[in-house]
């Protein structure tokens, strides 16, 4: 997210949180018996285990909870906190859950009752992490056009709203509700959660509850409890203390917002393209004469007579215009403009009318254009890039086209007219990102959920920690340990999604943070009997950190839960069980039969000097035979790259071999 959008977002989020706190406070003053946000009508409770239900009431008040002919009672403590554990139940529903408070005279009433309806007992999954877990159904919809109109009331979705708290565990989540799975409710929900819930409901035949608690761009330390951080990473704990002064945080946010507004003001003031003309900017008008503007290919903006030629970067605004001839058959019709993915921000116009804008680099540009905007003959498509770092560019391998009804497609030409607007200094302020500070998201988005009973957790995160990859394995162990403690489930299953392949392919050996985080994920999953790894090393994209193939990721997660939760004897990704040097080669014995491959890619061997060399390998049966290009081989790596594009070592079940690094005996 760009600085200006991020600063504005944080300020508005803070105001919303303050407003919510006031509303919640008023509500708490009026209600004697209260439940946390996670308990709502339409929810799914976990089968086969005790079901914790908790809340608040007047001190010493008797609380009775009823569900499916089961009853549990308790008395609120001196602070009004109470909890009961309903006995384990089989899957079923819909049921009614009642919470009854008795024993005190309140406003002339002897009791209060909270009634929740449409309650199901089935399986509940906590899906957490950063942006790849948060990537929505809408984002991946072009990949799965035939699957997104499904409705299944047996799958319930619960989206945890953003909440970062540096002070300690929040009393509750922000307002939320359980929603049945349908297109409308799922459109902005986690695609992985959506596909996981659908698959497991279809396979297991019981209700599925998916809790999405994720926040893009966040590091793992933000999701770890403060006591664990303090015990193992005291410097991180002190870092969090810096943000416990609310006045300081608010002042920084205001300063960041003001700096961004001023930057935008100066940018627009000195950009000649923003001169008012008709109903919009001068350079966006179809009548503007761009004859003298240089012409460039959209993938080579720095070549030829381009004003960006020979530049390493360009901070400021750049305008591109494209003339599109439209025939009578398409004139006046509504359509969707697919403008690929752009770096970094854009405002897009058609015939002088703004049709879309996106504030940062990652979202695909999918702009819906109303009927009547497109006309017969010459039309002018204009894109104003706004960059605060780097160089404006179009992302290759993304779609650039106009899509009409009945999948009638007009591709966009690659040629554009180009002109700079104005060059700017880099922005001077960016506020504070509380969500990136240690423990803030555990406090705000995990602790208030606990100890809600769940069948298992999916963790998809790591991209934000590749710069300090050496910390990832111990931090992942801490996270798993304190989540299990918080949810009072010492055997809580975890499925860890390994980072997907991404960025440009490099043939030479690499020692990258991405590879190191993948190895940390593999090692931690392997050493924990209640954890499994779900691979995405063959599901990524070179040009997109948010690859679309989320259904396949969800399928691999479900397969891992088949083993962890349901006790099925399933075969997961292949693993090396034995290594030996024989006849001048390294022979790896695998735990399962492999797909035949006479030229396996991405194996590397290092000798005593630690320098790795590419080598060849053959896969046959349950063995991989690796050629040794050095004397005294010491280490073997596989797929140890940012993007080992085209991995081709698979088990017979179709799952890829995980990247790894091992010693050679």
């Amino acid at each position: 997210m760009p600085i200006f959008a991020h600063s504005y977002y944080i300020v508005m989020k803070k105001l919303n949180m303050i407003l919510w706190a006031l509303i919640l406070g008023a509500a708490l003053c009026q209600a004697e018996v209260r439940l946390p946000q996670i308990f709502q009508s339409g929810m799914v409770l976990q089968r086969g285990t005790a079901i914790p239900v908790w809340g608040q009431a007047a001190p010493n008040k008797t609380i009775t909870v009823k569900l499916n002919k089961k009853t549990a009672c308790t008395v609120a403590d001196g602070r009004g906190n109470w909890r009961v554990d309903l006995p384990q139940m089989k899957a079923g529903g819909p049921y009614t859950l009642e919470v009854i408070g008795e024993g005190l005279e309140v406003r002339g009433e002897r009791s209060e009752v909270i009634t929740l309806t449409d309650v199901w007992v089935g399986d509940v999954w906590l899906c957490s992490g950063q942006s790849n877990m948060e990537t929505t159904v809408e984002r991946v919809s072009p990949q799965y056009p035939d699957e997104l109109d499904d409705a299944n009331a047996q799958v319930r979705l619960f989206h945890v709203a953003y909440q970062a708290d540096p002070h300690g565990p929040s009393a509750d989540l922000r307002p939320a509700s359980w929603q049945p799975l349908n297109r409308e409710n799922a459109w902005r929900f986690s695609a992985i959660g959506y596909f996981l819930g659908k698959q497991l409901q279809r396979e297991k035949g019981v209700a599925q509850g998916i809790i999405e608690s994720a926040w893009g761009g966040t590091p793992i330390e933000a999701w770890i409890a403060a006591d664990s951080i303090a015990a193992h990473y005291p410097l991180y704990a002190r870092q969090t203390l810096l943000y416990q002064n609310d006045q300081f945080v608010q002042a920084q946010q205001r300063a960041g917002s003001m700096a961004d507004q001023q930057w935008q003001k100066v940018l627009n003031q000195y950009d000649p393209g923003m001169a008012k003309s008709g109903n919009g900017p001068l350079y966006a008008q179809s009548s503007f004469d761009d004859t003298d503007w240089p012409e460039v290919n959209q993938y080579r903006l720095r070549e030829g007579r381009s004003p960006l030629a020979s530049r390493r970067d360009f901070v400021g605004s750049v305008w591109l215009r494209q003339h599109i001839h439209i025939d009578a058959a398409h004139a006046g019709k509504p359509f969707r403009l697919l403008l690929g993915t752009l770096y970094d921000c854009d405002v897009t116009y058609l015939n002088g009318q703004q049709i879309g804008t996106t504030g940062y680099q990652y979202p695909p540009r999918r702009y819906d254009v109303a009927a009547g905007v497109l006309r017969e003959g010459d039309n002018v498509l204009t894109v104003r890039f706004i960059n605060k770092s780097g160089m404006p560019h179009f992302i290759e391998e993304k779609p650039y086209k106009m899509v009409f009804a009945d999948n009638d497609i007009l591709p966009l030409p690659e040629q554009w007219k180009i002109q700079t607007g104005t060059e700017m200094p880099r922005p001077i302020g960016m506020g504070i990102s509380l969500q990136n500070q240690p423990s803030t998201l555990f406090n705000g988005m995990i602790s208030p959920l606990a100890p809600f009973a769940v069948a298992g957790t999916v963790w998809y995160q790591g991209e934000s920690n590749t710069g300090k990859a050496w910390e990832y394995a111990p931090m992942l162990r801490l996270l798993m340990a304190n989540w299990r403690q918080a949810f009072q489930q010492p055997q809580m299953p975890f499925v860890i999604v390994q980072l997907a392949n991404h960025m440009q392919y490099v043939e030479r050996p690499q020692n990258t943070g991405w590879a190191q985080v993948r190895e940390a994920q593999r090692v931690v999953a392997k050493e924990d009997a209640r954890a499994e790894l779900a691979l995405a090393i063959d599901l990524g994209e070179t040009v997109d950190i948010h690859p679309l193939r989320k259904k396949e990721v969800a399928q691999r997660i479900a397969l891992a839960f088949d083993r962890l939760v349901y006790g099925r004897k399933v075969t997961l990704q292949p693993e090396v069980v034995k290594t030996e040097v024989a006849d001048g080669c390294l022979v790896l014995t695998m735990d399962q039969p492999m797909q035949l491959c006479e030229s396996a890619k991405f194996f590397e061997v290092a000798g005593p000097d630690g320098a790795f060399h590419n080598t060849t390998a053959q896969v046959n049966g349950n063995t991989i035979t690796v050629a040794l290009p050095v004397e005294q081989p010491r280490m073997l790596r596989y797929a140890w790259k940012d993007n080992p594009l085209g991995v081709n070592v698979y088990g017979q079940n179709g799952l890829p071999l995980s990247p790894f690094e091992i010693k050679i005996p």
Side-chain angles (χ1 to χ4, degrees):
M1 185 177 292
I3 294 168
F4 73 90
H6 183 266
S7 299
Y8 173 79
Y9 167 76
I10 288 293
V11 170
M12 295 305 297
K13 183 170 74 71
K14 191 72 175 181
L15 292 175
N16 288 336
M17 291 175 65
I18 293 171
L19 178 61
W20 157 234
L22 293 174
I23 294 172
L24 176 62
L28 295 185
C29 291
Q30 297 174 5
E32 283 296 317
V33 180
R34 301 184 292 276
L35 289 170
Q37 286 293 320
I38 190 63
F39 291 98
Q40 303 264 353
S41 292
M43 67 182 172
V44 179
L45 300 173
Q46 181 58 43
R47 62 172 168 164
T49 187
I51 302 173
V53 181
W54 70 95
Q56 288 187 305
N60 305 313
K61 193 164 191 173
T62 299
I63 305 297
T64 302
V65 179
K66 298 180 178 181
L67 175 69
N68 187 26
K69 301 179 181 179
K70 304 293 193 302
T71 301
C73 297
T74 190
V75 176
D77 65 18
R79 295 186 176 183
N81 298 315
W82 59 267
R83 170 182 167 175
V84 300
D85 287 340
L86 291 167
Q88 66 181 34
M89 302 180 191
K90 294 181 179 180
Y95 302 126
T96 297
L97 184 144
E98 288 186 323
V99 180
I100 305 167
E102 299 179 308
L104 289 179
E105 191 77 25
V106 180
R107 294 187 297 278
E109 299 178 2
R110 290 293 299 169
S111 66
E112 294 177 275
V113 179
I114 296 175
T115 301
L116 303 182
T117 60
D118 193 28
V119 175
W120 293 79
V121 177
D123 293 329
V124 182
W125 311 96
L126 174 58
C127 298
S128 189
Q130 59 179 109
S131 55
N132 268 301
M133 178 58 78
E134 199 177 19
T135 298
T136 63
V137 169
E138 185 275 334
R139 177 77 70 87
V140 307
S141 57
Q143 185 75 20
Y144 310 102
D146 298 328
E147 296 201 25
L148 303 181
D149 288 324
D150 292 350
N152 189 337
Q154 290 282 290
V155 180
R156 303 297 170 91
L157 311 175
F158 187 90
H159 181 267
V160 176
Y162 289 162
Q163 184 170 236
D165 194 336
H167 298 285
S170 301
D172 200 359
L173 304 171
R174 294 175 62 196
S177 62
W178 288 88
Q179 299 289 336
L181 185 149
N182 57 40
R183 185 185 181 94
E184 179 181 0
N185 295 332
W187 201 236
R188 299 295 177 185
F189 196 79
S190 163
I192 286 178
Y194 168 85
F195 287 117
L196 180 65
K198 284 207 314 179
Q199 177 171 338
L200 291 179
Q201 200 287 319
R202 183 176 64 251
E203 292 179 353
K204 313 307 175 187
V206 304
Q208 302 291 318
I210 307 294
I211 302 171
E212 177 197 345
S213 183
W215 194 328
T218 55
I220 191 172
E221 58 265 27
W223 298 93
I224 300 176
D227 55 354
S228 293
I229 288 288
H232 296 88
Y233 298 94
L235 185 60
Y236 280 152
R238 295 172 202 144
Q239 178 178 329
T240 305
L241 294 176
L242 298 175
Y243 301 98
Q244 291 185 347
N245 184 321
D246 291 339
Q247 290 182 329
F248 163 72
V249 171
Q250 292 164 15
Q252 291 295 311
Q253 301 296 1
R254 286 195 298 270
S257 178
M258 291 171 61
D260 178 71
Q261 291 174 20
Q262 186 66 13
W263 194 92
Q264 293 287 330
K265 179 180 178 180
V266 174
L267 173 76
N268 292 339
Q269 178 181 347
Y270 285 91
D271 187 340
M274 291 299 292
K276 186 172 178 58
S277 175
N279 294 323
L282 175 64
Y283 286 180
Q285 299 303 309
S286 56
S287 59
F288 176 76
D289 185 2
D290 57 21
T291 305
D292 294 334
W293 284 22
E295 187 173 287
V296 294
N297 182 279
Q298 66 186 36
Y299 303 124
R300 293 184 288 277
L301 298 185
R302 298 168 59 187
E303 297 182 5
R305 295 172 47 236
S306 169
L308 301 181
S310 303
R311 296 294 302 263
R312 293 182 59 86
D313 60 12
F314 183 90
V315 174
S317 59
V318 174
W319 294 82
L320 289 104
R321 288 166 55 90
Q322 181 180 105
H323 291 261
I324 305 170
H325 183 82
I326 296 297
D327 58 24
H330 294 91
K333 290 185 176 179
F335 68 97
R336 168 168 280 196
L337 175 67
L338 300 184
L339 202 58
T341 307
L342 308 176
Y343 186 89
D344 187 22
C345 317
D346 77 283
V347 185
T348 298
Y349 306 85
L350 180 61
N351 295 331
Q353 179 175 323
Q354 182 175 322
I355 59 172
T357 183
T358 302
Y360 64 114
Q361 63 175 305
Y362 293 121
R365 274 57 171 181
R366 301 170 184 161
Y367 298 147
D368 290 318
V369 182
V373 178
L374 199 63
R375 61 199 182 203
E376 185 176 0
D378 185 59
N379 293 258
V380 178
L381 179 64
T382 306
V383 178
R384 186 194 190 208
F385 281 88
I386 301 173
N387 278 57
K388 297 189 176 184
S389 65
M391 179 66 72
H393 60 273
F394 293 76
I395 307 299
E396 293 193 57
E397 303 177 23
K398 294 296 181 178
Y400 296 88
K401 56 190 176 183
M402 305 163 71
V403 182
F404 296 83
D406 300 322
N407 204 32
D408 180 14
I409 294 174
L410 295 180
L412 291 178
E414 294 183 4
Q415 297 300 115
W416 295 76
K417 296 275 193 168
I418 185 171
Q419 187 58 267
T420 56
T422 188
E423 189 168 7
M424 289 286 291
R426 289 177 180 266
I428 58 177
M430 57 186 302
I432 291 174
S433 301
L434 283 180
Q435 74 274 18
N436 294 331
Q437 308 312 316
S439 305
T440 56
L441 298 187
F442 177 86
N443 292 339
M445 297 176 67
I446 296 300
S447 181
L449 288 169
F452 198 80
V454 301
T457 293
V458 185
W459 178 248
Y460 193 167
Q461 190 278 338
E463 297 92 341
S464 290
N465 288 90
T466 53
K468 293 185 177 180
W470 60 88
E471 294 179 341
Y472 199 79
M475 282 196 169
L476 184 53
R477 295 185 186 102
L478 283 181
L479 180 142
M480 294 164 67
N482 63 50
W483 286 26
R484 285 166 171 162
Q485 181 180 31
F487 284 84
Q488 299 173 24
Q489 293 182 235
Q491 300 299 311
M492 176 191 283
F494 272 82
V495 173
I496 302 161
V497 182
Q498 195 182 57
L499 296 187
N501 54 305
H502 176 52
M503 294 181 282
Q504 292 298 319
Y505 166 71
V506 176
E507 184 176 0
R508 67 179 184 278
Q510 289 180 293
N511 190 20
T512 77
W514 281 68
Q516 292 170 37
V517 167
R518 290 190 194 109
E519 178 69 351
Q521 293 168 327
R522 183 188 73 86
V523 168
V524 171
K526 184 175 177 61
E527 70 188 16
D528 190 313
R530 300 296 295 159
E532 292 288 357
L533 194 67
L535 299 187
I537 196 62
D538 56 340
L539 301 177
E541 297 182 27
T542 299
V543 297
D544 198 336
I545 200 171
H546 305 122
L548 298 183
R549 297 178 63 187
K550 294 297 190 277
K551 179 182 179 182
E552 291 84 343
V553 174
Q555 289 171 334
R556 294 175 182 181
I557 293 168
L559 195 62
F561 279 135
D562 269 345
R563 175 185 284 184
L564 283 174
V565 176
Y566 299 108
R568 292 184 57 203
K569 294 182 178 180
V570 297
T571 302
L572 300 179
Q573 57 273 1
E575 294 185 5
V576 179
V577 295
K578 181 182 178 182
T579 60
E580 59 181 339
V581 176
D583 298 327
C585 294
L586 179 65
V587 180
L588 309 179
T589 302
M590 310 304 293
D591 67 345
Q592 59 187 271
M594 306 291 291
Q595 294 182 12
L596 179 66
C597 181
E598 296 183 354
S599 182
K601 301 179 181 179
F602 307 130
F603 285 91
E604 304 168 8
V605 175
D609 63 356
F612 280 85
H613 303 268
N614 293 332
T615 189
T616 59
Q618 294 183 334
V619 184
N620 190 9
N622 69 336
T623 63
I624 302 175
T625 303
V626 182
L628 295 175
V630 299
E631 297 182 1
Q632 298 181 308
R634 292 289 183 268
M635 297 292 294
L636 173 70
R637 284 177 176 172
Y638 169 68
W640 198 269
K641 298 179 182 294
D642 292 328
N643 186 6
L645 187 63
V647 292
N648 61 352
V649 181
Y650 285 81
Q652 285 190 356
N653 63 353
L655 294 181
L657 176 64
S658 168
F660 65 80
E661 180 182 63
I662 58 176
K663 292 182 179 180
I664 297 176

